Amino acid sequence: MSSYTILLTFILLGVSILTQAHLQSVFETQKPIFHHPIERVAVVGAGPAGLQAAAHLVEHNFTVRLFERAPHPGGTWFYSEETPSRESYPDDSLDYSAQIPLQLPATKYYQEGDDGLTLEERWTRHWRPRPVWSSLFTNSPKISTELPDVPYTPDTPYVLSHRTIQRHVRSYASHHCLNSNDHCPRTPSSPQVTSYSTLVAKVEKDEASHVWILTLRRLNRLPESNRIQEEWWTEAFDAVVLASGPYVSPHVPDIPGIVDWSKARINEDYCMYHSQSYRHPERYAGKTVLIVGASVSASEIARDISPFTHRLIASVRPPKDTRGSRQRSLTRFPNITEFVPEVASFQSLQTHTNGIRTGEILLVNGSVLQGIDEIILATGYRSSALYPPTSTTRRPENITWTGHYIPDPTLVYTVGRPWTIGRYQSYGFVQVWKGTADVPPPESTNDSKLKDGEDEGDGSTIPYWREMWYGEALIRRYVTWLNDASLKDGGRFVDPPPIEHLELLKYYAVVHLLNNTQQLEGIGLNLFSPFSPNQHLVTDLNPWDAFVDEDADW
Ligand SMILES: Cc1cc2nc3c(=O)[nH]c(=O)nc-3n(C[C@H](O)[C@H](O)[C@H](O)COP(=O)(O)OP(=O)(O)OC[C@H]3O[C@@H](n4cnc5c(N)ncnc54)[C@H](O)[C@@H]3O)c2cc1C
Ligand SMILES: NC(=O)c1ccc[n+]([C@@H]2O[C@H](COP(=O)([O-])OP(=O)(O)OC[C@H]3O[C@@H](n4cnc5c(N)ncnc54)[C@H](OP(=O)(O)O)[C@@H]3O)[C@@H](O)[C@H]2O)c1
Ligand SMILES: *[C@@H]1O[C@H](CO)[C@@H](O)[C@H](O)[C@H]1NC(C)=O
Ligand SMILES: *[C@@H]1O[C@H](CO)[C@@H](O)[C@H](O)[C@H]1NC(C)=O
Ligand SMILES: *[C@@H]1O[C@H](CO)[C@@H](O)[C@H](O)[C@H]1NC(C)=O
Ligand SMILES: *[C@@H]1O[C@H](CO)[C@@H](O)[C@H](O)[C@H]1NC(C)=O
Ligand SMILES: *[C@@H]1O[C@H](CO)[C@@H](O)[C@H](O)[C@H]1NC(C)=O
Ligand SMILES: *[C@@H]1O[C@H](CO)[C@@H](O)[C@H](O)[C@H]1NC(C)=O
């Protein structure tokens, strides 16, 4: 035990004696009664969150299976020149279970052209290439975009290219023997931990045996015979971690006429597409491009292509969320951007084989836009949860702040930013499933109201975690809960991140958000005056919260 840990123990003991009543009210918990000991655990997704979950579970001797639809780890950060299959117009269902064969297990072989799909198309539909482009850099600084155990070298720049993060996440995977090409020694009786190229198509609970049943689909490329092998099977688990990520499927806005325009092409190329397929700027040379959306993808793609375009137009709508952190993108559009209001409708096209230049786009202010060569829909993503089956969000409402599904705490959803929260959350569910920590109680309606950041009116009752930085408050909550459990039942103590990190984050927030947001006087306020004259666009410039909003899906 290091002297630091001993010191921390004493401090915590002191704190817990002094504030026992308080601690009890926060952490008055119940040991969950599981129907049997938790031994076999499935993790869905090998991004930054799922890899940490699997590493912690393996370290604590659970029998772990990590399923990832992509051929390699990295999640969002597994870059490829391959682009995802074309999004559906309008949005389709996110349910994979319709494809499951009636008899399981099942094996099928596919040739080029079967069901009208090329082998390439079948392959990319299965693993879904990521929405990351060649020149992408993080919008979070390296100190808050780092996994444990494999620190960046000191000369790593403050803002990271996606290639640096990809290497970083893969090093973490290799360090924990979870990479796709690792052949690490295991006990012969336990199955291999990782299963790549494996889509989890369905998650269900067998109420009779109290186990989770996952329906799995793996594709194998067979280059010798130029085929793809498809395997379907099921596996049973005592507990499941859903780490399937926030940006699962592109969202296409439901604008009248969009389905008609989505069919328009020039030669083989569609003229309208979602930002998920954007990779390189060169092909925009001399074109007039309309970008729909005002968030990070919109502004960053605009910056990337602006040196090439003839004209660059952005269609943005008045923001719902006026916090400073949400306005940063507006300040990032290049200065040649022509801003126009939201699109009301796309007027029907005469033909789908001659592009969209002559097509008319009706804006909500009554004007008509024409002469566009290409439209990039930077309109965000949808996610679904795999469980419960009817869920249309990544996490249902019924979870604790630690990610446990309240009706059945053998299911966990990853919460917070994996870089900063993942290490605590993973240790937390390991402890709960070993029986050495309690599941925190459901929050009262009052707590969740505060967490959603509702305005307190006169400011007198702003909850403590909004006064500082939501992520910091969440980390403190984890540190207190985990160390409280370790004091009672034994276990490793955890430390908060070093205070310098917070200082650096604050500095970064000032440089990258606050100072930029002041420039909104130049573009932003003019831009929004048609919608909301005299209304101040940005209502919260608290730098502690403004840039790094750990509560967001970021
Ligand atoms: C364009 C873009 C830029 C971003 N930039 C930043 C940034 O600068 N800083 C930052 O902190 N964050 C950024 N993010 C957010 C990014 O998602 C997180 O950094 C991080 O990758 C989230 O980790 P995760 O493990 O939760 O999810 P992901 O990285 O999305 O990983 C989830 C994994 O689950 C797999 N999966 C999903 N469903 C299934 C299934 N049914 N079966 C099997 N496998 C499945 C996916 O294939 C994926 O590999 C960005 C996101 C995007 C889209
Ligand atoms: N590191 C990077 O540089 C980088 C780059 C890209 C993305 N990212 C991350 O990836 C995540 C996703 O970002 P994103 O920009 O793709 O998605 P997003 O943040 O969900 O933004 C979607 C945008 O589309 C707008 N929109 C939706 N329908 C519209 C319509 N009908 N008309 C006009 N606008 C419409 C939304 O406006 P409303 O707000 O009004 O709904 C919003 O501005 C974020 O976490 C982001 O940080 C990071
Ligand atoms: C896991 O099992 C190994 C071998 O039995 C043991 O040495 C180790 O202490 C166990 N780890 C934990 C965290 O219980
Ligand atoms: C616009 O940005 C470009 C490149 O950053 C710069 O060279 C130019 O001076 C800017 N123009 C105006 C009017 O600010
Ligand atoms: C609609 O908005 C555009 C872009 O801001 C502007 O040029 C046009 O004049 C506006 N039209 C009307 C009718 O106000
Ligand atoms: C939350 O769980 C409880 C108990 O299982 C259930 O009664 C309630 O309907 C659930 N609420 C939501 C929003 O799912
Ligand atoms: C919620 O807040 C209200 C008013 O602020 C208070 O009267 C009530 O007791 C609170 N409920 C709980 C469960 O804390
Ligand atoms: C932010 O901008 C102000 C005014 O331009 C400048 O004085 C200050 O140094 C900037 N802050 C940082 C941290 O760069």
Side-chain angles (χ1 to χ4, degrees), residues 314-317 339-343 363-365 531:
S315 164
V316 308
R317 58 188 185 192
F339 289 101
V340 301
E342 199 173 342
V343 174
L363 304 174
V364 291
N365 74 350
F531 309 115

Side-chain angles (χ1 to χ4, degrees), residues 158-169:
Y158 209 63
V159 174
L160 308 162
S161 82
H162 67 78
R163 289 180 179 82
T164 306
I165 304 212
Q166 176 170 0
R167 267 200 307 277
H168 178 69
V169 180

Side-chain angles (χ1 to χ4, degrees), residues 155-373:
D155 60 342
T156 308
Y158 209 63
V159 174
L160 308 162
S161 82
H162 67 78
R163 289 180 179 82
T164 306
I165 304 212
Q166 176 170 0
R167 267 200 307 277
H168 178 69
V169 180
R170 288 184 76 150
S171 321
Y172 181 87
S174 290
H175 183 79
H176 290 281
C177 205
L178 298 168
N179 209 338
S180 44
N181 52 1
D182 281 341
H183 298 286
C184 304
R186 312 225 142 260
T187 53
S189 58
S190 70
Q192 201 193 335
V193 174
T194 58
S195 184
Y196 283 97
S197 299
T198 304
L199 176 81
V200 178
K202 194 174 185 180
V203 172
E204 60 199 319
K205 181 95 188 208
D206 182 60
E207 292 305 337
S209 56
H210 302 287
V211 296
W212 292 97
I213 309 288
L214 270 55
T215 305
L216 304 157
R217 176 197 195 228
R218 180 167 52 216
L219 293 195
N220 302 306
R221 299 202 83 160
L222 305 174
E224 322 73 47
S225 56
N226 200 27
R227 289 181 306 168
I228 283 178
Q229 180 199 45
E230 175 189 60
E231 297 169 279
W232 286 95
W233 76 105
T234 60
E235 289 186 33
F237 297 93
D238 305 315
V240 178
V241 179
L242 294 180
S244 55
Y247 306 111
V248 172
S249 289
H251 163 60
V252 165
D254 188 15
I255 302 173
I258 200 168
V259 176
D260 179 38
W261 280 50
S262 75
K263 296 174 187 150
R265 302 190 197 208
I266 285 224
N267 304 323
E268 285 305 292
D269 296 328
Y270 287 104
C271 303
M272 176 193 276
Y273 44 90
H274 189 272
S275 59
Q276 65 163 346
S277 325
Y278 175 69
R279 292 291 184 272
H280 298 282
E282 291 78 11
R283 57 178 287 251
Y284 295 89
K287 290 185 175 165
T288 296
V289 179
L290 172 68
I291 296 183
V292 180
S295 186
V296 191
S297 293
S299 65
E300 301 313 295
I301 291 174
R303 287 173 83 91
D304 210 30
I305 67 177
S306 70
F308 296 89
T309 52
H310 169 60
R311 276 177 75 192
L312 181 58
I313 306 170
S315 164
V316 308
R317 58 188 185 192
K320 288 181 223 96
D321 183 345
T322 55
R323 278 180 301 162
S325 50
R326 294 285 167 272
Q327 304 312 318
R328 180 173 180 254
S329 288
L330 282 177
T331 71
R332 300 264 311 163
F333 278 96
N335 60 12
I336 60 157
T337 311
E338 300 166 44
F339 289 101
V340 301
E342 199 173 342
V343 174
S345 65
F346 295 98
Q347 309 295 81
S348 30
L349 296 168
Q350 309 284 325
T351 154
H352 291 139
T353 53
N354 195 22
I356 53 175
R357 267 200 88 83
T358 55
E360 293 185 339
I361 302 171
L362 186 61
L363 304 174
V364 291
N365 74 350
S367 280
V368 170
L369 196 59
Q370 238 184 332
I372 308 290
D373 294 306

Side-chain angles (χ1 to χ4, degrees), residues 376-539:
I376 303 176
L377 301 172
T379 44
Y381 294 85
R382 297 172 291 149
S383 56
S384 65
L386 283 171
Y387 194 90
T390 50
S391 164
T392 53
T393 54
R394 181 156 79 101
R395 304 178 201 112
E397 282 173 24
N398 272 6
I399 60 171
T400 62
W401 59 268
T402 54
H404 290 272
Y405 183 52
I406 291 166
D408 185 345
T410 59
L411 183 65
V412 157
Y413 302 81
T414 52
V415 295
R417 295 182 64 239
W419 315 104
T420 47
I421 303 296
R423 66 199 74 188
Y424 301 108
Q425 192 197 9
S426 302
Y427 187 47
F429 55 67
V430 159
Q431 295 291 57
V432 167
W433 290 339
K434 278 170 63 177
T436 49
D438 305 335
V439 181
E443 288 174 289
S444 75
T445 338
N446 288 6
D447 290 343
S448 38
K449 178 183 156 239
L450 298 180
K451 204 172 80 184
D452 290 346
E454 266 176 47
D455 213 327
E456 259 49 57
D458 64 1
S460 58
T461 53
I462 289 180
Y464 69 94
W465 51 68
R466 287 202 61 213
E467 278 174 35
M468 357 185 223
W469 163 43
Y470 177 79
E472 194 204 357
L474 186 57
I475 289 172
R476 286 184 186 196
R477 234 174 161 186
Y478 264 115
V479 171
T480 314
W481 171 59
L482 290 169
N483 289 344
D484 193 44
S486 292
L487 277 174
K488 285 193 201 123
D489 285 318
R492 176 168 64 82
F493 289 96
V494 296
D495 298 329
I499 191 74
E500 310 89 85
H501 282 197
L502 204 58
E503 296 293 322
L504 279 166
L505 266 181
K506 227 174 105 177
Y507 179 74
Y508 188 88
V510 169
V511 174
H512 288 265
L513 175 87
L514 221 51
N515 271 12
N516 274 336
T517 308
Q518 280 154 3
Q519 293 162 19
L520 278 175
E521 302 290 342
I523 59 155
L525 293 177
N526 296 342
L527 160 64
F528 284 101
S529 54
F531 309 115
S532 47
N534 307 324
Q535 193 203 313
H536 209 295
L537 188 64
V538 178
T539 56

